[in-house]
Amino acid sequence: MKGRYLRPAASGAALCLTATLTGCGALGGLTGDNEVTLRVVAADYGDNPQNSSATYWKGLADAFEKDHPGTKVEVSVYNWSEVDAKVAEMVKAGKAPDIAQIGAYADYAADGKLYSVDELLSVKTEADFLGPLAEAGKVKRVQYGMPFVASTRLLFYNEKLLTDAGVLAKDAKSGWQPKSWAELEAAAKKLKGAGVQTPFALPLGREEAQAETMMWMLAGGGGYTDNEESYSIDSPDNVKTLEFLRDKMVGQGLTGPVEPGKLDRRAAFEAFTRGEVGMLNGHPTLVKQAAAKGVKFGMVPLPTAEGNEQPAMGVADWVMAFKNGHKAESGKFLDYLYEAKNVTAFTNQYDLLPVTTSGYRAMESGTGGSAPQLKTFLAALPTSRLYPVGKKSWAGVSEDIKQNIGKTVQPGGQPAKVLDEIATAARAADPR
């Protein structure tokens, strides 16, 4: 999710955590003859002070310090709305943290400011990352970004609304299993005929239009990049995908009263929890939100254009280590961070997915203590496709998509023209 891919923020101010607290603005470094202080900046995944990520990081830092005398860990936890900017300010001032857990790494890697992963991690830790996530962390075939947590997206549907509309049989024990867009369209029409206010919510507003768009593009056989990782935003498959949304979904009044380009994900999720939406694409956060409101729902992969298998969309947040002269200490701390027990402790707390094979297996087997519903998301993770976050240009391209993609599905919208404009700007910003 610019950097905030996965979770809402909680507090506005940074929370500084260390056994020997030196203050949020401190440079750290050598604090004694042989003692090193690692400065870590992290994002807050909680939505209130009681479940702030600060608690997790404090426990992690305390445990690491106990096992590694001579190294202190100072953690500053910031709201997602400001953490990327805080790190950018630190770097600009020549006071980069040793380790940052934020939304994007490519700019810093391209500027030569980061250690590569193979300079930091043990072979065991480096090999433990799930393949698609490790690949997404590379710039020019060298990995600098370490995935921290991940998520995939699924199609949610309201069981009662689909049953009342005759889409889902009352005694259907296996749920609804649509395979193609034709089935999706037919279901949306039945929901509309049954008086459902929003048969299919299509949030292409600024909050996360780049995610909704990518889900549909992948399901249509396209995506933001081709197999050579060059931008292919204007591909014929992508044009056809947006034409389907314009003509079959929006054009037939199947996406509700709010124009997709003005509908944000948060509003769509809230409408689903109120029982006003028949179907929409969602991530693990919606599981708890809907359950808390008593909505009975099902989750399936988004159907594809012709019913053939296509990769799901995944998202990840990132960890990186700046070249501050503390390579060995940073590497040891990162090895500790990625131990299975620490990975699952964080993902379980926030209903997110692990980024390591060991964490994946723990969640898959149930030993990781995760919610059973997350296994559906987990199954899509190993083969998922992520944003092209390894491109320095991606932040600007993502913003361009947020601002303009909604125009393509309006009545009379021109998907080919808009996608060509976005793609042309993207290629100009990413010379190969």
Side-chain angles (χ1 to χ4, degrees), residues 232-251:
S232 59
I233 297 169
D234 55 347
S235 72
D237 284 334
N238 290 343
V239 173
K240 289 179 181 178
T241 292
L242 291 170
E243 287 176 344
F244 167 79
L245 293 175
R246 179 195 64 190
D247 299 337
K248 300 298 185 179
M249 301 302 286
V250 179

Side-chain angles (χ1 to χ4, degrees), residues 261-418:
K262 297 179 180 178
L263 179 64
D264 282 336
R265 185 198 65 197
R266 183 187 297 271
F269 279 17
E270 290 174 351
F272 185 82
T273 66
R274 294 193 300 267
E276 299 170 0
V277 173
M279 301 173 282
L280 84 170
N281 294 318
H283 55 60
T285 300
L286 186 55
V287 172
K288 278 189 175 179
Q289 290 178 347
K293 293 294 183 68
V295 176
K296 292 185 178 181
F297 58 90
M299 301 179 296
V300 293
L302 178 66
T304 60
E306 303 297 335
N308 55 322
E309 290 191 10
Q310 297 289 355
M313 188 194 79
V315 292
D317 294 329
W318 301 94
V319 172
M320 61 220 68
F322 286 86
K323 292 181 177 179
N324 286 351
H326 298 152
K327 180 172 66 176
E329 295 83 3
S330 292
K332 289 178 181 178
F333 180 73
L334 291 168
D335 278 335
Y336 186 73
L337 172 67
Y338 284 107
E339 288 183 11
K341 64 179 181 181
N342 295 324
V343 170
T344 55
F346 193 89
T347 55
N348 289 345
Q349 183 175 355
Y350 296 107
D351 288 335
L352 297 170
L353 303 181
V355 297
T356 60
T357 300
S358 58
Y360 177 92
R361 288 173 178 165
M363 180 176 283
E364 189 178 40
S365 66
T367 59
S370 59
Q373 297 98 322
L374 293 186
K375 289 187 178 181
T376 309
F377 292 93
L378 189 69
L381 186 58
T383 58
S384 63
R385 289 280 299 274
L386 282 78
Y387 301 127
V389 289
K391 293 181 177 293
K392 188 175 181 178
S393 59
W394 170 242
V397 173
S398 176
E399 184 62 27
D400 201 1
I401 292 167
K402 290 179 182 180
Q403 290 182 5
N404 295 294
I405 206 68
K407 301 173 185 176
T408 66
V409 301
Q410 294 174 345
Q414 302 180 56
K417 180 177 182 293
V418 174

Side-chain angles (χ1 to χ4, degrees), residues 162-210:
L162 264 67
T163 301
D164 291 346
V167 177
L168 184 64
K170 291 184 179 180
D171 58 350
K173 296 181 180 179
S174 59
W176 187 45
Q177 300 291 331
K179 298 298 182 183
S180 69
W181 287 355
E183 293 177 72
L184 203 67
E185 178 190 351
K189 286 180 177 178
K190 287 185 176 181
L191 287 164
K192 181 181 179 181
V196 175
Q197 184 177 13
T198 304
F200 196 108
L202 186 66
L204 293 177
R206 283 188 48 81
E207 182 183 357
E208 208 180 33
Q210 81 285 2

